[in-house]
Amino acid sequence: DAKTTQPTSMDCAEGRAANLPCNHSTISGNEYVYWYRQIHSQGPQYIIHGLKNNETNEMASLIITEDRKSSTLILPHATLRDTAVYYCIVRVGNTGGFKTIFGAGTRLFVKA
Amino acid sequence: EAGVTQFPSHSVIEKGQTVTLRCDPISGHDNLYWYRRVMGKEIKFLLHFVKESKQDESGMPNNRFLAERTGGTYSTLKVQPAELEDSGVYFCASSQIGLGGNTIYFGEGSWLTVV
C-alpha cells in the first residue's frame, strides 16, 4: 500500500469548511483513497473513498487531483463533534480484503 | 443492521493471566481484521481472515497471541500469557469482497489493561 503524508494537526472554526489535505505521490493506478476518522477513543469510522473521480456523501466530499497524487477531504460545515484524528489511506481494494495501514493522521480541532 | 461488535469492552487482568477477546463481524462479511493501538502509538494491523482462513498474520507480535475464526463467523483473539506491553485497545473490523472498493468497518474496540 502506498504511503501518505498528512499535516500533524489543523484548526477549524465551527461552521466553516474543514479542508484536510493528503499527499500520496506514489499511488498506483488500482489504489483507492480512503478516509477514516477516530473520535477520541472510539473505533475508526469510515468517511468516504474514491478512485479518481471526486466523491460526495452525507458526511464529506473528497477531491482527488487529476494526477491522483494528492487529495483533500472537505467537511463542509464543521461542528465541535468533528474534532478527531483523520486518516488518509491508499490501498488496493477492489477485489479482496487487504490490510489498511494507518499513519499518524491529522488531528483536527474544531473550535467554537 | 448490526455493526461490528466486540466483547468485552474493557478488561483488566494481571500479568501472566489469559484474556480472550471476541469479535462478531457484520453479517455476511468474509473479511475479518484485528488491529491494536497501544498507548501513544499508531493503529497497527495484526491479522486478516478470509472466512476461516488466515490470509495475513504478519502483524501478530509474537506467539503469545492466537487468533481463531472457526466456522468463518465470529473470531477470538487470545493473549496468553499477557504482558504489561500488551495493554492497549484492540479493534476488530470486517469487510465484504466486492467491486468499487472494499470498505472496512470497525468495532468500538476492546480495552485491555495488564497490571
Side-chain angles (χ1 to χ4, degrees), chain B residues 16-72:
Chain B
Q17 288 187 321
T18 297
V19 64
T20 300
L21 310 178
R22 172 172 169 143
C23 169
D24 286 79
I26 293 173
S27 178
H29 281 192
D30 290 331
N31 296 298
L32 188 148
Y33 308 80
W34 283 98
Y35 297 80
R36 77 170 178 177
R37 184 174 198 168
V38 298
M39 186 66 69
K41 299 290 183 62
E42 299 171 2
I43 299 171
K44 294 293 188 183
F45 166 84
L46 296 179
L47 89 160
H48 166 213
F49 283 100
V50 177
K51 297 184 180 179
E52 68 274 11
S53 299
K54 292 178 184 175
Q55 183 77 10
D56 181 350
E57 52 183 329
S58 60
M60 294 288 266
N62 51 62
N63 59 9
R64 295 186 294 104
F65 289 76
L66 175 63
E68 294 179 322
R69 193 183 182 196
T70 305

Side-chain angles (χ1 to χ4, degrees), chain B residues 54-115:
Chain B
K54 292 178 184 175
Q55 183 77 10
D56 181 350
E57 52 183 329
S58 60
M60 294 288 266
N62 51 62
N63 59 9
R64 295 186 294 104
F65 289 76
L66 175 63
E68 294 179 322
R69 193 183 182 196
T70 305
T73 54
Y74 71 91
S75 174
T76 58
L77 179 64
K78 180 190 290 186
V79 185
Q80 179 182 29
E83 298 289 344
L84 298 179
E85 64 264 26
D86 299 332
S87 296
V89 58
Y90 290 77
F91 293 110
C92 178
S94 72
S95 71
Q96 184 53 291
I97 298 171
L99 299 177
N102 184 353
T103 301
I104 295 175
Y105 298 94
F106 286 80
E108 290 303 311
S110 288
W111 286 83
L112 174 64
T113 301
V114 183
V115 298

Side-chain angles (χ1 to χ4, degrees), chain A residues 37-99:
Chain A
R37 71 180 181 183
Q38 190 175 24
I39 297 174
H40 193 47
S41 301
Q42 298 175 16
Q45 177 188 26
Y46 165 77
I47 301 174
I48 198 167
H49 76 281
L51 183 61
K52 47 186 176 180
N53 297 325
N54 297 338
E55 302 289 343
T56 296
N57 62 20
E58 65 277 5
M59 290 182 67
S61 294
L62 174 61
I63 307 298
I64 303 174
T65 58
E66 192 169 342
D67 63 7
R68 301 209 324 122
K69 293 185 177 182
S70 66
S71 61
T72 301
L73 177 74
I74 301 173
L75 307 178
H77 306 286
T79 70
L80 298 178
R81 287 176 293 182
D82 291 322
T83 292
V85 179
Y86 288 77
Y87 297 97
C88 169
I89 300 159
V90 291
R91 52 187 287 267
V92 177
N94 59 330
T95 59
F98 289 85
K99 58 187 180 186

